[in-house]
Amino acid sequence: MTTHLYLASILHFTQQSNHPEDDYTYIHDGSMVTRNGKIIATGERKNIENQYLDVVIHDFSGQLIVPGFIDSHLHFPQTEMLASFGEQLLDWLEKYTFPTERKFAEPEYAAHIADIFLRQLYRHGTTSAMVYSSVHQCAADALFAAAQRHNMLLIAGKVCMDRHCPTWLQDTPKKAQIESAELIDRWHKKDRLLYAITPRFAPTSSPEQLHLLGELAQQYPDVYIQTHLNENLHEIAWVNSLFPKHNGYLDVYDKFNMLRPKAVFGHCIHMQEHEWQRMAQSGASIAFCPTSNLFLGSGLFDLKTAEKYNIPVALATDVGAGTSFSMLRTLGEAYKVGQLRGDQLQPLHGLYLMTQGAAIAHGLADSIGNLNPGTDADFVVLNPNFDELTTLRFEQHNDVQDIIFALSMLADDRAISATYIAGEPVYQTHTE
Ligand code: GUN
Ligand code: ZN
C-alpha cells in the first residue's frame, strides 16, 4: 500500500468554530501524509518527514494545501447555460432553464454533460457538491455513475416538479416519490454517494407531491433534502398566493415535513423574523449563493443574521444562475455582498464556509472539510503565484489571510495546481 507525503504550506480548520478567522491551523513548512485514500498525518514538515520511510514524495513547496472545496448548491443540467442574459428568476426559468433541462431526458446526453460537469468541479478545486439533477431519473443515474467512477463524495437528487412548468418536464406526485425512492435504494450510501430528496421549489410542486415527498423524507431520516427558499420577491408573492393557509414560504416546507437537519435551503434572502427563528430551531442549513443572487438580481443574503441565529451556512455557486464554478470567485462575490450590506466577511471565515463549515452543516466533517488524520484525502493544492500579477501582488503582502483574500478576488481555476479525491489526483497542471 503506497504512502504519499505532500510538502506544502497547509491551511485548514480542525473543528467547529464561530470565529474561524481566529481559529485556523496554518503550517508554513507543512507536510501531509496519505495512505489508502485517507489522511494519516498533518503537521510540521520537520516532525513528520522522518517518521515515514518508503513514501512517494510530492513536493509542492511554496504552494498551499487546503481541504477540497464543497459547493453546497448547484444544478448539473445547467452547466451549458451559464451566463444567459437578461432575466430575473421566474422568466429565467421559463426562457433558459426549462428548455435546457429538457435535453436530460436522453441518458447519453446526461452522461456526456455529467463528465463535463465533474471536470469543471475538479479544475476549480471542488471535491464535493450538493447537486440538483433534472426531473429525469436517468440523468440522476448518469451523474451518480460518473461521480462513483471518481470515488467522489457527491450528494444529489432528481428534481421533482408536477406543475407550473412545461408539461414535458413534469412528473406526478406518485412518480416523483417512486423514482426518488428507487434512486435512494440505488445510490444512497453506495461508496461515498448520498441522496437528496429534491422538490425544485414550492411553486412547481403540488400539495400532493409535497405531501408524498415529506412522507419519503420521514421514511429515510438520514437522506438529505434540498430546495429553494425566499430567493426572489415575485417568487415569494407567488408562493403566498398558491399556499394562502401557510404562514409564509418556509412554513410550506415545514408543514410537509421537509424542515429538519440535513435539509439545505438555497438562497434565503428575504426571510421574515419568524422564519429565521423556525429555521434556527429546525437544524436545517442555508446555501449562500452570491454570484447567483447578484446575477439574477435576487438580493443580498444576510449572513450576519443567519450567524446570529446559529444557522449553519455553506457557500455555493448555484451554477447555472451562478456565474462561475470557482468557489474562490464565489468567495470574492460573497465579500462584495457583505460590502453592499455594510458587513465585512473575513477571508478565512469565507474559506470556512466552503470547507469545514459546509462539512459540519451537512454532518460530514468526519470525512471531508478538513485535513485531520482519519478523514478522506480530498484536498486542493493552490498556487498563489500563478501569473505575473499575482506574483507581484504576493511579493508585497503574503500572510495567509491576505493570500486567501487576494485569491478570492484575482483567482479562479488558474490558481488550482492539483485536486485530489480520496488520495487520487482528479486534476493536475503538472507544476508539482
Ligand atoms: N428556483 C427554482 N428553480 C431554480 C433554479 O434552477 N435556479 C435558481 N437559482 N432558483 C430556482
Ligand atoms: Zn438553485
Side-chain angles (χ1 to χ4, degrees), residues 274-338:
H274 71 89
E275 294 184 309
W276 285 120
Q277 286 168 6
R278 179 68 192 110
M279 180 84 93
Q281 290 166 350
S282 72
S285 53
I286 293 176
F288 170 22
C289 312
T291 73
S292 166
N293 299 158
L294 296 169
F295 179 71
L296 292 179
S298 303
L300 305 174
F301 177 65
D302 185 354
L303 178 62
K304 282 274 179 307
T305 298
E307 293 187 336
K308 181 185 90 185
Y309 280 107
N310 274 321
I311 299 169
V313 174
L315 203 56
T317 64
D318 193 28
V319 158
T323 49
S324 171
F325 274 91
S326 168
M327 290 299 291
L328 288 172
R329 282 238 165 147
T330 304
L331 171 56
E333 298 304 290
Y335 173 82
K336 294 176 193 171
V337 167

Side-chain angles (χ1 to χ4, degrees), residues 73-75 78 89 92-93 132 200 227-228 231 266-267 289 292 296 317-322:
H73 177 132
L74 79 169
H75 300 254
Q78 296 174 17
L89 176 64
W92 174 86
L93 286 171
Y132 291 61
R200 174 167 222 121
T227 190
H228 298 87
E231 176 177 7
H267 308 299
C289 312
S292 166
L296 292 179
T317 64
D318 193 28
V319 158

Side-chain angles (χ1 to χ4, degrees), residues 114 139-149 154-158 183 187-188 193-196:
D141 280 321
L143 178 65
F144 279 122
Q148 190 176 40
R149 286 197 289 277
L154 179 94
I155 310 171
K158 169 202 125 59
L183 287 164
W187 299 110
H188 186 59
L193 305 172
L194 297 163
Y195 196 78

Side-chain angles (χ1 to χ4, degrees), residues 176-302:
Q177 187 194 35
I178 290 170
E179 290 190 351
S180 301
E182 287 171 354
L183 287 164
I184 292 169
D185 288 342
R186 270 207 288 285
W187 299 110
H188 186 59
K189 298 196 167 165
K190 296 290 147 56
D191 297 329
R192 303 177 74 202
L193 305 172
L194 297 163
Y195 196 78
I197 297 169
T198 309
R200 174 167 222 121
F201 67 156
T204 47
S205 287
S206 63
E208 297 71 34
Q209 181 167 84
L210 292 171
H211 174 74
L212 290 185
L213 294 178
E215 260 186 21
L216 190 65
Q218 287 179 301
Q219 205 180 322
Y220 293 98
D222 67 342
V223 156
Y224 292 81
I225 298 169
Q226 60 182 349
T227 190
H228 298 87
L229 173 68
N230 285 333
E231 176 177 7
N232 168 290
L233 294 174
H234 297 289
E235 169 211 24
I236 295 167
W238 194 20
V239 171
N240 289 336
S241 72
L242 291 170
F243 298 93
K245 297 208 175 96
H246 289 260
N247 182 21
Y249 195 164
L250 181 63
D251 189 53
V252 176
Y253 299 126
D254 196 0
K255 292 286 155 41
F256 287 109
N257 298 309
M258 284 187 275
L259 181 59
R260 68 172 194 195
K262 294 201 175 177
V264 181
F265 293 91
H267 308 299
C268 300
I269 296 170
H270 310 282
M271 296 281 278
Q272 301 182 59
E273 200 56 40
H274 71 89
E275 294 184 309
W276 285 120
Q277 286 168 6
R278 179 68 192 110
M279 180 84 93
Q281 290 166 350
S282 72
S285 53
I286 293 176
F288 170 22
C289 312
T291 73
S292 166
N293 299 158
L294 296 169
F295 179 71
L296 292 179
S298 303
L300 305 174
F301 177 65
D302 185 354

